[in-house]
Every structure is written in C-alpha cells, then in structure tokens.
Amino acid sequence: MQIRPHIGNMPPYTPIEPFEVLSARLGRPPEQIIKLDANENPYGPLPAVRQALADLPFLHIYPDPESRALRKGIAEFIGVPMESILAGAGADELIDLLMRVFLEPGDGVIVCPPTFGMYDFDGRLNNAKVIEVPRREDFSLDLPALCQIVHRERPKLLFLATPNNPDGSLPPADELDEVLELPVLVVLDEAYIEFADPHGELGGSLSRVGEVLRRHNLVVLRTFSKLAALAGLRVGYGVFPDWLMPTLWKAKQPYNVNVAATTAALAALEHAEQMKDVVKRVIAERGRMADALSRYPFFSLYPSQANYLLMRVRGIEAAELKRRLMMDYGILVRYFSTPRLRNCIRISVGKPQDTEALLRALDQIAQEVT
Ligand SMILES: Cc1ncc(COP(=O)(O)O)c(C=O)c1O
C-alpha cells in the first residue's frame, strides 16, 4: 500500500485541544476556563440563533446542496448577487476547495508569513509549491518582493489575510490595490474584517467583496465563526468571479454546509444590528485591553484591527508565561515558537471580566518576575 509521498511526508497539523479534554487536564470546569487562544467570539451566538437551533425541524433531511436560503441572506447582507457566493463549512473548506480546483502538483501558492497556518497546510496537502514572501519586521507586506516573486514564479494563487492573523494588521488600501494588479488570483481572507471597521459597520467600507465582480482575479473569503460566534458550527462563504463559479459548484462536496449551521447563520443575519453591537463591544474591549497591557514592562504590543492582540514578551519566557496563565489561572493564550514570532503571545479579546482576570493574573506574575 503506497501513501502519496507528499502527504506521507507532511508535518501534522496541530489543532487546538478540545475544550473538554483541556478542562479535564487543568482540573477546572469549562466555565472556569478563560479561552483567549483561538480568536473566538466570547459572547457566543445571539439569543435568536440559540432559539432557532433549539427549534430545528428537519434534522433527518439532507441540507440544500446549493445553500440557496443562506446565500440569499448573505447576498442581502453584503450587497453582492447570490450567484457569486458559495457557502462552505467555514472559510477553511473554501481555502482547500480553491487549491483543489487550481493546483497541479508543484504549482506555486504564495503566502506572506507570519500568517494563518491553513494556507501552508492546504498548500502542502494539495502538493503545491508553497512560496513564502515574509512580511517586514512590523508585519507590513514586502511589496517589491511580492511583485518580483509573482513575476518570476508565476504562482497560481496568492493568499492574504486582511486583517492578518496573528498580528491584526490590515494593509493600506493602495497596497492592496497594487497586489490586485498582479497577474495571479488573489484570495483575500476577510475572516476578521468586521472588527477592522472603525464605525462597526461589519466590514462595510473596508471589505473588498464589492470589487470581486469588477476584477477577474479576486476572491474574498468571509466567515460566521468570528462575527456571529459560530466557530463550532463551521460556516463561512466566499465571493468569487463569475468565470470560477461553475467549476466550484462541480468540485465542492454536495452537502458541505449542514442544516444547523445554515439555520444559525441565517438567524444571525436576521439580527445584524445585534451583531453590530457585539462587534462594537469587542472593538471597545480591544482598546481597553491594549491600554492596560501596554502598561506592563514585559509586553510590547502590535497595533491590531482584529479581535486579538499580538505582543512580544521581554524579560520572561513567553512559553513560561503561557504555561503559568494556563496552569495557575485557567487562562489560555496562544504562544508562537517560530523564529519570526520568537517570544510572542497572541491574546484574543474576551469580555471585560476576562480582561480583568487576565490583568489580575499578570499583576501577580509581574510581582514575581520584578
Ligand atoms: C485568517 C483566518 N482565516 C480563516 C479562519 C478560519 O475560519 P473558519 O472558522 O470560517 O474556517 C481563521 C481562523 O482562525 C483565520 O484566522
């Protein structure tokens, strides 16, 4: 039996630990764990979403393979025709779908690290040549390098998270315009765009969804995981150019978006004003958290337009800080060990009481290290 070598030789993806497993390991009930490690929305689904899920009638029937109702709802929400929208089991599914549709073995995919790990993971899974164009020290894009490499390598796809994970930066509009002039299909991953809009307009003025139909080389991915707190249900969507839609329809799994996810996402869209309130709360808390955290001498923070803050840690090992927060206080943060993110941690924005608990823990840890 012969496994395909590019998959056999792949490093495994390290997913986050399931909540119940973690709770058992820490000896704390889940309610006493403050989970700030995966950029989830701490407010959870809206009451109307929970109610819609509780009332679900047809669980024994397969979902609509074309997700018609959901795509219609999304179309009204973002102002793009439903014919240009495809729903997926999270944005993650659509990243993989795009790669499966485009890549022959060895074809180039450009990623700009440090960034979201799934672009690299799916690239390897699909036997692509993953070409890294590292970001600058401040996480901005290295545009001259990007242009040079696109022209030299002629990659099929270029993935950009806007805002970027893990630092939360959003490239200026003119830089994105320049990227979109490159001869490559550009995939803008707007998983966090709603948190970048200064007026809490759920991505409105900053999102590029409205441009997809005017350009032939742009795809925009969005998700309900962060905005609507539906990460556990797996539902996202993409806006794609017309020429690509028929192929995506052929290649996608028929029942990719399940009934619960569809119902929940639709109920969330019907209460967009309430989602706006949640987003505004997260944005306000991000500001408060950034002010408070920047007062600790051992942190230097990066400005973020998403629902998390990246910081470099000085005078204490970031791995040890993460361990202490987790073991002694039940607070989970994300630690990175790659060279570019050396001694960095990323903390998702939680509720005000989560920030309070974090600050109390940090005060105690600070006393011990200073
Ligand atoms: C940049 C980025 N894109 C996509 C995702 C995944 O989105 P989804 O939950 O819709 O698969 C994440 C999740 O953390 C992310 O950080």
Side-chain angles (χ1 to χ4, degrees), residues 90-92 116 119 161 165 189 191-192 223 225-226 234-235:
D92 279 355
F116 184 45
Y119 314 140
N165 178 3
D189 178 346
Y192 302 99
T223 180
S225 295
K226 321 291 175 179
R234 314 303 301 126
V235 53

Side-chain angles (χ1 to χ4, degrees), residues 209-229:
V209 279
E211 253 175 75
V212 174
L213 295 186
R214 278 190 276 126
R215 302 205 182 244
H216 68 285
N217 68 331
L218 171 62
V219 166
V220 174
L221 303 180
R222 305 271 291 260
T223 180
F224 288 91
S225 295
K226 321 291 175 179
L227 167 65

Side-chain angles (χ1 to χ4, degrees), residues 172-182 208 211 215:
D174 57 334
E175 283 191 12
L176 278 185
D177 291 340
E178 246 183 87
V179 172
L180 290 171
E181 292 304 320
L182 294 172
R208 297 283 176 139
E211 253 175 75
R215 302 205 182 244

